[in-house]
């Protein structure tokens, strides 16, 4: 087995644990909320007409909407690869852009504080998920996952 399949097996077992499963579903709701926020941006309900926002913002709204909904569904059903999607997506679609290309996402002074809060929230979400993924697993639930 490759390291990738070993991790997938560990994720599958972890997502069957009651606390990890519950947390994955909470994260799914948070992602759905984010998806609705992007729908609101696209629909122009957030104050600025979407077509007047920078092209990068428009692109990110669409990509993050797809990411949020797809990841939420996968997490809800406890699909092992949803963990890869969550961590990779948050890093590549939020943490990296909001730090490396930070100036592209700041149109007014308070936007910097919002980005800091968003990055902090994402790091907390991932940290809690990491803790839950490495916690000892119940032997009974682990045997069920192997079958």
């Amino acid at each position: 087995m490759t390291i990738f399949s070993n991790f997938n097996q560990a994720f599958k077992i972890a997502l069957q644990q009651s606390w990890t499963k519950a947390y994955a579903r909470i994260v799914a709701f948070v992602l759905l909320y984010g998806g609705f926020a992007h729908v609101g941006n696209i629909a122009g309900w957030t104050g600025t007409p979407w077509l007047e926002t920078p092209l990068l913002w428009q692109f990110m709204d669409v990509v993050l909407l797809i990411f949020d909904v797809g990841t939420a569904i996968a997490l809800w059903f406890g699909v092992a690869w949803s963990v890869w999607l969550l961590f990779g997506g948050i890093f590549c679609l939020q943490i990296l852009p909001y730090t490396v290309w930070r100036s592209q996402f700041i149109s007014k002074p308070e936007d910097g504080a919002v980005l800091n809060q968003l990055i902090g929230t994402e790091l907390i979400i991932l940290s809690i998920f990491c803790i839950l993924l490495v916690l000892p697993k119940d032997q009974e639930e682990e045997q069920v996952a192997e079958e």
Side-chain angles (χ1 to χ4, degrees):
M1 285 179 42
T2 67
I3 192 163
F4 183 75
S5 59
N6 288 341
F7 272 111
N8 274 347
Q9 183 63 23
F11 294 158
K12 180 180 177 184
I13 293 167
L15 288 170
Q16 292 174 350
Q17 301 294 310
S18 57
W19 284 103
T20 310
K21 183 177 186 174
Y23 185 71
R25 290 187 170 182
I26 290 168
V27 172
F29 276 115
V30 170
L31 289 169
L32 285 178
Y33 172 78
F36 283 120
H38 294 295
V39 168
N41 291 344
I42 294 167
W45 299 333
T46 57
T48 304
W50 191 60
L51 293 176
E52 292 178 16
T53 61
L55 188 58
L56 178 61
W57 288 17
Q58 294 174 17
F59 173 77
M60 290 300 288
D61 270 330
V62 173
V63 170
L64 287 169
L65 172 60
I66 294 166
F67 164 76
D68 286 345
V69 172
T71 306
I73 292 168
L75 282 171
W76 184 266
F77 288 108
V79 180
W81 52 262
S82 66
V83 176
W84 294 105
L85 186 59
L86 177 70
F87 279 77
I90 286 177
F91 180 76
C92 293
L93 298 174
Q94 292 182 327
I95 294 173
L96 186 65
Y98 298 159
T99 54
V100 175
W101 300 290
R102 185 177 186 82
S103 63
Q104 300 297 313
F105 296 95
I106 297 177
S107 62
K108 45 191 183 252
E110 59 269 17
D111 290 345
V114 171
L115 289 180
N116 290 342
Q117 292 170 352
L118 181 61
I119 292 168
T121 301
E122 300 294 356
L123 291 174
I124 290 169
I125 288 171
L126 295 181
S127 297
I128 293 170
F129 220 113
C130 281
I131 291 167
L132 290 171
L133 289 172
V134 299
L135 281 177
K137 311 298 178 251
D138 293 337
Q139 292 299 324
E140 183 179 311
E141 290 182 11
E142 192 171 329
Q143 289 172 350
V144 170
E146 291 175 2
E147 293 175 356

